Amino acid sequence: MLTTTIGIWALTAAAAAAKTCYNVTVEVPVTARNGVFDNIITPRTNFDATSFALSATKQGRNLSETALSGYATVSGHYNISTQYCVPKNAGSSAYTLQILTHGMGFDKTYWDLPYNNYNYSYVDYVLARGYHTLSYDRLGFGNSSHGDAKNEIQGFLEVEALAQLTRMARNGKIPNIQAPANVVHVGHSFGSALSVALSVNYPELSDALVLTAYSTSIDYMSMFLSGANFQQARSSGKNSDYTAGYLSTGDIRSNVYLFFYPPHFDMGLLKFAELNKQPMTIGELMTITGLPVQSNFTGPVYVIDGANDLPFCGGDCLYTGGTGASIPAAAKALFPSASAFSAYIHPNTGHAINMHYNATGAYKQINDFLGVHGLMSKSHHHLHARHH
């Protein structure tokens, strides 16, 4: 029996959008086998952060392997800050829940950007198509529990937190959430890597996977690590509650290099992203390539990348040297049992797909795929049938 205590929840109705959202803090018990990185010291200053990047990008060397001294069980009760949104005219019929996992440098607002009248909101887009959404701040970030940046907040612990959150949602154990008919896991970047790992460890928890800003290639990780120009998150005033080893991008230009494709975005949204950026931990950076990937998942899988994604495509997802249709298409090999697999490359877009002018075009591609493969709410399906 999963025992949970629910923190204060609040109802927020965005005046601009036709939606009802509930902000709920959920306590989840989480246990994982984490890496112990005793052979590396947690960077404590901005200078140390640069030294860490130098060590992590040295050719012919795998820092995760050299730093690893073993494994240890990490266990605790953690608070996860969630936002559950329902369409304005949601009936009580069976519905599909999309669980949204953000990537590094962001929090859950990545999916529902309070910018320009929510013009870029993935949440608003999918609610209009009859889905419900559950977005959350990943364990370690935003309004969720923070923790030790090296030995605690790693990919392994975050996968288990996502699994627990999913079980609670599926079982109707989160306030206001009725048990859904189906659950789709949608990830961005590191959130996609966590969703893949979830499908490896617990394939029964998901009915479909949407992997945005993701590929199996780790060839360009050094571009990401060096281009970030890392600094301690706590050295920037607003993130002072983060401890040593929580690293942020250096400045707005680093943010552009990692996440954007000039000039195909609104400069105001870039400034918003810089003001609201979240850090990443060295524990995550050293476990992103250690998460399990070979999956027996049997549902449909959709991979979508901006054509100019830097961390996963080196800036050009279509340049494969003749080895395949695109770099992200190679992810098909991870899912030999998937009922359907499709990889789509979205034009004029960098790593942060949701922050480019044509973001809603990407949202349409994703949700058309889900609709074709039967992952649509029953009530929306009937509406759809009536209109055609």
Side-chain angles (χ1 to χ4, degrees), residues 19-321:
K19 65 178 182 244
T20 304
C21 295
Y22 302 89
N23 291 314
V24 185
T25 297
V26 186
E27 186 183 313
V28 292
V30 187
T31 300
R33 187 169 167 268
N34 265 14
V36 178
F37 294 104
D38 278 343
N39 302 327
I40 187 174
I41 294 164
T42 299
R44 311 202 77 79
T45 65
N46 290 345
F47 187 85
D48 291 347
T50 301
S51 300
F52 168 77
L54 267 174
S55 302
T57 54
K58 192 176 288 184
Q59 65 145 332
R61 178 187 188 204
N62 182 329
L63 181 65
S64 299
E65 281 177 15
T66 54
L68 186 73
S69 56
Y71 291 89
T73 300
V74 174
S75 198
H77 283 250
Y78 297 94
N79 286 329
I80 303 293
S81 173
T82 74
Q83 183 178 63
Y84 170 61
C85 295
V86 295
K88 195 163 184 108
N89 303 313
S92 56
S93 60
Y95 73 95
T96 297
L97 178 68
Q98 295 196 22
I99 297 182
L100 313 175
T101 305
H102 64 85
M104 292 182 184
F106 299 98
D107 59 17
K108 65 179 174 293
T109 59
Y110 174 79
W111 303 106
D112 190 29
L113 292 163
Y115 178 79
N116 195 11
N117 216 14
Y118 290 86
N119 238 10
Y120 296 81
S121 171
Y122 179 81
V123 169
D124 281 3
Y125 185 90
V126 303
L127 293 182
R129 293 185 65 152
Y131 297 97
H132 298 205
T133 61
L134 179 66
S135 56
Y136 68 101
D137 288 344
R138 291 198 335 263
L139 177 55
F141 303 93
N143 294 321
S144 293
S145 297
H146 300 175
D148 180 78
K150 185 172 77 169
N151 293 320
E152 189 176 13
I153 306 302
Q154 298 180 5
F156 307 116
L157 195 70
E158 291 185 54
V159 170
E160 295 303 323
L162 173 57
Q164 290 287 49
L165 193 65
T166 303
R167 288 185 192 106
M168 290 178 65
R170 278 191 168 274
N171 297 330
K173 300 281 193 238
I174 299 175
N176 314 303
I177 302 187
Q178 292 179 329
N182 296 296
V183 170
V184 178
H185 283 95
V186 183
H188 171 253
S189 188
F190 187 62
S192 293
L194 296 176
S195 301
V196 172
L198 179 84
S199 82
V200 176
N201 295 345
Y202 311 105
E204 73 285 354
L205 289 181
S206 201
D207 296 291
L209 292 179
V210 174
L211 311 172
T212 80
Y214 176 81
S215 82
T216 54
S217 175
I218 56 169
D219 295 350
Y220 313 104
M221 211 45 73
S222 60
M223 291 172 76
F224 182 85
L225 292 168
S226 48
N229 190 20
F230 285 131
Q231 63 177 9
Q232 294 288 339
R234 59 183 178 174
S235 67
S236 68
K238 68 175 182 54
N239 287 329
S240 54
D241 56 337
Y242 288 113
T243 51
Y246 274 88
L247 306 178
S248 291
T249 53
D251 60 24
I252 199 163
R253 294 184 301 279
S254 314
N255 211 328
V256 172
Y257 182 78
L258 299 189
F259 297 111
F260 289 81
Y261 184 55
H264 301 280
F265 57 88
D266 177 339
M267 288 299 286
L269 186 50
L270 167 64
K271 287 172 186 154
F272 174 88
E274 177 66 16
L275 276 173
N276 295 284
K277 70 183 177 187
Q278 289 289 325
M280 45 205 93
T281 70
I282 63 162
E284 290 180 315
L285 293 168
M286 291 196 293
T287 52
I288 186 167
T289 57
L291 293 169
V293 291
Q294 207 58 45
S295 179
N296 293 321
F297 183 67
T298 56
V301 178
Y302 192 70
V303 181
I304 176 170
D305 282 75
N308 309 97
D309 186 291
L310 176 103
F312 285 103
C313 294
D316 186 352
C317 286
L318 295 173
Y319 184 78
T320 64

